[in-house]
Amino acid sequence: MDAEQRLKTAVDEVLAAANATSTPEALAKKLQPVLQKYLSFEAMTRRAVGPGWRQFSPNQKKEATTLFTTLIIRTYSSKFTPGQNPQIQYSKSCTPAPGRVEIPTTLLYQGSKYGVTYRMEEAEGWKITDVVIEGVSLVANYRTQFDAEFKKGGAEGVVGSLSQAVAQNK
């Protein structure tokens, strides 16, 4: 399956899950296996942490990835209003490097229009590695936050910050 088709399939599965639930908590639970199938949370976490990732122990990498996954899924789930589907227009993809593709879309949701670009990489099938909304990269946004935490407290600081964010975002 090519990247564009994989993205469309992912969006369809996400929307089906969103329409089958009525609360953000239930949606988060329902979306977790869907998003884990289509997003590379390990790559997203690694990039969000940046160069400091090399200083994380294997256990810290695993814990950071698990916490970041939970945080992203909860945050993503809270953006949906059950029964209100966005209209999505897919534009022509571009290939910035071999094995990478960017697929721009225009999303019309609740009367507002958003530019959303999905960055995907081919690794055991195409997976989303970043989402750029209105020019703001999800990964870069978190990287700014994690960089400050890493400078203050190293890998433990980042994991602690993620633990705190997940606990607050219940």
Side-chain angles (χ1 to χ4, degrees):
M1 181 181 306
D2 69 6
E4 291 90 347
Q5 188 55 50
R6 180 121 170 124
L7 177 62
K8 289 176 183 178
T9 300
V11 168
D12 289 345
E13 284 188 37
V14 165
L15 293 176
N19 286 325
T21 58
S22 59
T23 66
E25 297 80 18
L27 180 58
K29 238 180 195 166
K30 195 163 194 123
L31 280 182
Q32 185 163 350
V34 175
L35 293 177
Q36 287 183 313
K37 182 167 54 169
Y38 294 106
L39 276 73
S40 176
F41 285 107
E42 191 277 329
M44 293 173 82
T45 308
R46 182 180 69 242
R47 289 182 181 143
V49 170
W53 185 251
R54 291 186 289 273
Q55 295 178 27
F56 280 53
S57 71
N59 285 342
Q60 289 170 323
K61 288 178 179 179
K62 184 178 179 181
E63 185 176 5
T65 300
T66 299
L67 290 166
F68 189 66
T69 300
T70 301
L71 182 62
I72 294 299
I73 290 171
R74 284 186 188 163
T75 302
Y76 188 74
S77 300
S78 71
K79 304 297 182 202
F80 283 92
T81 302
Q84 292 192 9
N85 281 342
Q87 294 176 348
I88 303 168
Q89 179 182 4
Y90 296 87
S91 299
K92 187 175 180 350
S93 66
C94 68
T95 305
R100 293 184 177 187
V101 68
E102 293 185 1
I103 304 170
T105 66
T106 303
L107 184 89
L108 183 61
Y109 186 64
Q110 296 182 342
S112 296
K113 195 176 195 179
Y114 305 96
V116 179
T117 299
Y118 295 88
R119 292 180 175 159
M120 299 178 75
E121 290 183 16
E122 192 170 26
E124 300 173 24
W126 287 99
K127 290 214 171 190
I128 298 165
T129 56
D130 196 7
V131 180
V132 181
I133 303 169
E134 291 295 307
V136 179
S137 159
L138 175 87
V139 169
N141 187 38
Y142 277 102
R143 187 170 186 162
T144 300
Q145 295 172 42
F146 294 159
D147 190 46
E149 292 299 330
F150 187 80
K151 286 178 180 171
K152 284 193 289 186
E156 282 301 318
V158 173
V159 171
S161 174
L162 278 166
S163 293
Q164 199 171 30
V166 167
Q168 290 173 352
N169 193 3
K170 282 191 173 185

